[in-house]
Amino acid sequence: MAVGLSFLFWSGLYAGGGLIGGDLYSYYFPQKTFLADQLQAGTIPLWNPLVGFGYPVIAESQTGALYPANLIAYSLLGPNAAYNAVQIVHYWLAFLFCWMYARRIGLSTVASLLTATVYTYAWFPPRICWEWAIIGGAWFPLVFWSIESFVQKPERGRRSLSVLVLALAAQLLAGHFTLAFITQLTAACYAAARILWGTLDKPDVDLAVRVRRLLVVAAAFLLAMGLSAAQLAPTWELKTRSQRSEVGQVHDPDYGRIPVWYWSQFVFPWMWYPNGPGIDVALSEYATSTNMVEAHLYFGMIPLAMAFIGLASRFRRQRNLCLTWSVLGLLALLYAAGLFLPVTRHVPGFNFFIGTGRYGIVTTIAVALFAGFTFDDFIRLRLPTIRWLLTAVVFMVTIAEFWLVSGWVTYAVVIENPPLASRDESPLRKLLLHANAEAPVRLFSRGANVATLLGVAATPVYLGLGPAEYWDPKRTMPEPLPFDESPTPEHIDWLRQSGVTHVLSFRPLDVDIWPVRPVWSGYDPMLNRAWAHSEPLNLYELLGSRGRVAWEQPGGDRRTRVTSYQSGRVEIEADSSTGGLLVLTDLHYPGWNVSIDGEPAESRTVDGLFRGVEVPAGKHRVEWVYRPRVFWFGLGCSALCAVIGIVLCLWPVFRRDVPAIHSAADADNG
């Protein structure tokens, strides 16, 4: 059923099509394409030199360069096929893990299928344009399966806690920290409720035993964070140096909330959904910093009605479980509306993450579980003909609802021949890669990041978590950017000083205003379609630019040549009669070290952005190498925690004489 539903919703992806819309071509595909190129060249990238002036790949996290599924898919497949495969597999996993959790708390097979259907296809499909929703959400129910397995059978705790550690670590290694934070916060509350409160009436399980079990779960959380330290440590360093270093205009936790009045979508979806993009207009009139996908929260009419019945009918039999999920679901719904932000925006952890509406995933699984309770009671009735007829109706109507809504509330659609599939046929890519082999190219082009799909560097940038220099008004190009208007002298100076070598424009440039030389004009099958632009693109060489490497004081007998330019290493031949400051117009960031003729040299930050080094007179080999200490420290921590985890799994750490909680029903008597 997991495979069948994913095919029903995403048959176009199975057939080799691709997604377009939302952040896909401006954010995810540029990252994934770079990752695929690097992995298939035999390297795991630590630095992406293509976006702007570069950024640390691991630290920015959204590439997911250390995530096992990405390492496998992007090593073996093209970027579009790999992206499709990763998305589809995580739909399978989300469905399977939710079904496993529903079974663990006592639901029948069929009722668990309904729970998994509501969880996976009520919340995920509208968010298909955001990879974090699919990958992060897939591991969410497995965490609760692991905790519940430990609650019910602590004598088998090594197995369930091992799964817990791996599930939490997988979320973190994927680099999607919003859902990882929501998962850890919700799981911590769930564990406390199920372990401490769920056994209060058990005289044979005293408080000390319950506290010890809770501490073991807490230790599993810490071990998971240690396993993912290779991802977390670089991200923490970048966070302190990024646009999200503090709450402000660039980073506002209020973004993405679900206004209370928009809760009407639960029971009156026809008021909003058929209008498609019109929802955004309505939201902008009454609320700021949100959109129809962030604010989407729909459970299906039948499952919502069943959820209220299930909560009431199961409360006596599984009081602790029902109360736990009702409280967690309600608190998540209130937080999704931004009602707690006046306090939490000042609380560490909460103030780092934006998108309060994403807490709706907790409410969704709560509703799915309660609907499953009702359905479970129904299918146990001794009316086989009516039972199976109504079962078919419930599934068909609910799935049809979700399928319709996934088309109404989304920023992405599946097309048969996606732009990324034409990457190898791109004439611009062939031309620029040839030029790049002679000297590194940097494009100035509209559509942040999109032009990096060509395999060359481009500016401006779009990063969810990026170096603060990219948002510093002193370092960025003056607004408005000269795409539809003539450039000012300040624009031209910025382009030249920033090492921009080429300009890619939607319209022909006036060579009397722009200091450029025409290079190429025509239709590019990848970029034209990615931008939905039907007119020819125009490529120009920017005259007077200092390029990617130059002497700070040009003139005289001074020459430079880039002999090797790789993601984490740049080699330059510098020849001068007087020496001077050599500038590489790439971002100066911790971890970049420079040497001259093999001897370490002292680097300098030039113009608040770029890398510089004093080079003596004569002919020298200057080499920049990226060796981020924080990454290697994190990798060491991950390796150490992996060893600790293996030892704990093999060592009998749990006392066999501790009474077990043998069933979910017993645990719920409290």
Side-chain angles (χ1 to χ4, degrees), residues 415-437:
I415 59 176
E416 183 177 349
N417 184 26
L420 198 56
S422 303
R423 187 172 183 241
D424 292 337
E425 287 74 48
S426 166
L428 258 177
R429 172 173 161 79
K430 296 174 183 177
L431 188 155
L432 288 171
L433 286 182
H434 178 75
N436 201 62

Side-chain angles (χ1 to χ4, degrees), residues 325-383:
W325 275 117
S326 60
V327 170
L328 289 175
L330 179 60
L331 289 176
L333 180 61
L334 295 175
Y335 193 85
L339 300 183
F340 301 147
L341 278 176
V343 175
T344 58
R345 69 187 303 127
H346 305 292
V347 178
F350 288 93
N351 62 6
F352 174 63
F353 299 104
I354 62 176
T356 57
R358 299 167 190 181
Y359 282 76
I361 192 173
V362 181
T363 309
T364 301
I365 196 171
V367 171
L369 290 169
F370 294 142
F373 287 149
T374 298
F375 200 63
D376 191 44
D377 292 338
F378 166 74
I379 61 176
R380 296 181 191 275
L381 298 176
R382 296 183 179 180
L383 300 169

Side-chain angles (χ1 to χ4, degrees), residues 51 152 174 176 249 599 604 668:
V51 175
Q152 295 185 23
H176 308 288
Q249 185 176 359
E599 296 295 326
R604 290 177 51 181
D668 285 321

